[in-house]
Amino acid sequence: MTKPTPTRINLTTPIAVLALAAAAIYFVPIARSQTPTENAAAANSAAAPAEPVKSSTNATKAWQTLNGAIRQLVDTGPAFEAKLRQVTRVDGQEVRAVGRYIQASGLRGLMRMELQAAIGNQTSRFEQTCDGRLTWTREQVGEEVRIRRVDVGRLDEIGFTSGVSARFKVGGLPELLDSIAWDYDLHLVRGVLKETQNVWIIRGTLKQGRLQALLDETEQPAAPPEMPTKVRVALAADGPFRLIPVRMEFSSDPPSGATGPPRLISELDIYEIKAIDPPKEELFRYSTTEDDAHFTNETQIYLDRFQTRMATLPGFSGLRR
């Protein structure tokens, strides 16, 4: 087993290809999360998605809808399981991954996600679990393994004025939606998915300030073709799984000087969603082995990330003492 080291992110690593919504986890690194300067007013007014806003712009409505989806996933919606299918295109390769997703509700903080794909002659696996106290992420390509851990209980040290606590936004679909809400300029439209399902569609363009932070982070002079500067999220508009995401697409801009539509680099389908009985906590526990002793503790990264974000909201009092 290869001991993981916290090296600079490579936009074209095979593990990045496999990871669920690689755009949020790798191409949009959390270590330098940008505060939402372009839509600061919208963000401030929409901090609590359940509260009405007197004068809403479309961007504010999109923000509220994403935050409502997060609340539905972790709190008010039913516990559910679903199948996952992801197609990612990087460096001329097309990687297809399949897996499953399980999400508990009622603010229990329980989530499990698994993806598996073949990259060349190697099998790649992505596993993420949260038992309400620790979130573990394990990525493997062949014999190369990277393991990360976040003590989500420590995120309660941050004082929140409203909305869903940060501890429920680490891992899985909630983290992905939260990253989109903060890193992209958003637009909300009503649509139909495959002519069979009413959905809310949220389109996003990577904020200029966020883009520059990413270029600085990766020491790139311009956005590489793997960087997702466009996002499209489809949320169920009605039915028992209202606001549950059913499809996500990440696209990149054409090369500098070229014209044409954005290039689709990653698409994720969440399908065959079904309600389940409240799952037992044992299902979400990460079984560590002796080989898993070498992991990267990313708790402080997440503390810094949410501290920076929440500091932009009115009434924020910082870390609890």
Side-chain angles (χ1 to χ4, degrees):
M1 173 173 292
T2 302
K3 179 179 178 179
T5 55
T7 56
R8 182 173 299 278
I9 294 169
N10 183 337
L11 295 179
T12 59
T13 57
I15 291 179
V17 173
L18 173 63
L20 170 66
I25 300 175
Y26 291 95
F27 300 135
V28 187
I30 63 174
R32 293 189 180 180
S33 182
Q34 180 79 7
T35 55
T37 54
E38 289 85 351
N39 276 335
N44 291 344
S45 64
E51 298 174 2
V53 179
K54 294 181 180 179
S55 179
S56 296
T57 64
N58 186 277
T60 300
K61 291 179 181 179
W63 170 279
Q64 289 179 305
T65 302
L66 279 181
N67 280 275
I70 294 171
R71 182 178 292 279
Q72 186 80 348
L73 284 168
V74 304
D75 185 13
T76 57
F80 72 91
E81 65 177 351
K83 293 182 179 179
L84 302 175
R85 179 174 55 240
Q86 185 188 31
V87 180
T88 305
R89 303 167 184 87
V90 175
D91 284 350
Q93 301 180 70
E94 181 175 280
V95 179
R96 295 179 176 270
V98 295
R100 67 167 182 163
Y101 186 86
I102 305 175
Q103 179 79 55
S105 57
L107 296 179
R108 297 178 65 194
L110 306 178
M111 176 276 304
R112 185 177 189 90
M113 177 173 58
E114 300 168 351
L115 278 171
Q116 180 171 315
I119 299 180
N121 59 357
Q122 296 180 318
T123 298
S124 302
R125 295 180 176 87
F126 178 90
E127 177 186 355
Q128 193 168 60
T129 61
C130 183
D131 61 5
R133 295 177 295 274
L134 297 173
T135 295
W136 290 90
T137 303
R138 186 179 192 275
E139 302 142 317
Q140 180 173 0
V141 177
E143 296 299 317
E144 181 181 354
V145 176
R146 181 188 183 202
I147 301 172
R148 295 175 285 135
R149 193 187 79 181
V150 179
D151 181 352
V152 295
R154 283 199 57 199
L155 297 181
D156 284 340
E157 296 176 20
I158 302 176
F160 292 90
T161 56
S162 59
V164 177
S165 171
R167 69 179 300 155
F168 303 113
K169 299 177 181 179
V170 180
L173 298 176
E175 179 173 345
L176 179 53
L177 294 178
D178 188 54
S179 295
I180 293 171
W182 286 87
D183 293 336
Y184 289 79
D185 286 317
L186 305 174
H187 182 74
L188 177 67
V189 297
R190 186 70 180 261
V192 176
L193 183 65
K194 299 180 181 178
E195 300 182 353
T196 61
Q197 184 176 10
N198 291 326
V199 294
W200 287 108
I201 294 177
I202 296 176
R203 300 179 184 274
T205 300
L206 191 63
K207 295 178 179 180
Q208 188 60 40
R210 189 70 183 103
L211 173 60
Q212 188 58 54
L214 287 168
L215 296 179
D216 293 343
E217 175 76 13
T218 57
E219 298 181 351
Q220 299 273 358
E226 299 85 10
M227 183 176 288
T229 54
K230 300 286 192 292
V231 65
R232 182 175 180 268
V233 180
L235 307 171
D238 46 38
F241 303 107
R242 179 178 174 273
L243 293 185
I244 300 298
V246 294
R247 183 173 173 85
M248 302 185 187
E249 299 173 353
F250 293 88
S251 304
S252 61
D253 289 326
S256 179
T259 59
R263 183 174 66 90
L264 184 63
I265 59 176
S266 182
E267 52 190 296
L268 174 70
D269 287 303
I270 303 100
Y271 64 104
E272 292 189 19
I273 304 172
K274 62 180 182 180
I276 58 176
D277 293 331
K280 295 182 179 180
E281 186 175 313
E282 290 76 10
L283 178 64
F284 303 91
R285 287 180 181 160
Y286 179 71
S287 299
T288 58
T289 66
E290 183 177 347
D291 290 335
D292 291 337
H294 303 295
F295 64 86
T296 302
N297 190 331
E298 295 189 338
T299 304
Q300 189 59 50
I301 291 176
Y302 279 80
L303 280 168
D304 294 342
R305 175 192 192 186
F306 288 108
Q307 178 83 359
T308 300
R309 290 180 175 180
M310 295 303 295
T312 67
L313 302 180
F316 178 71
S317 58
L319 294 179
R320 293 187 178 128
R321 302 299 181 188

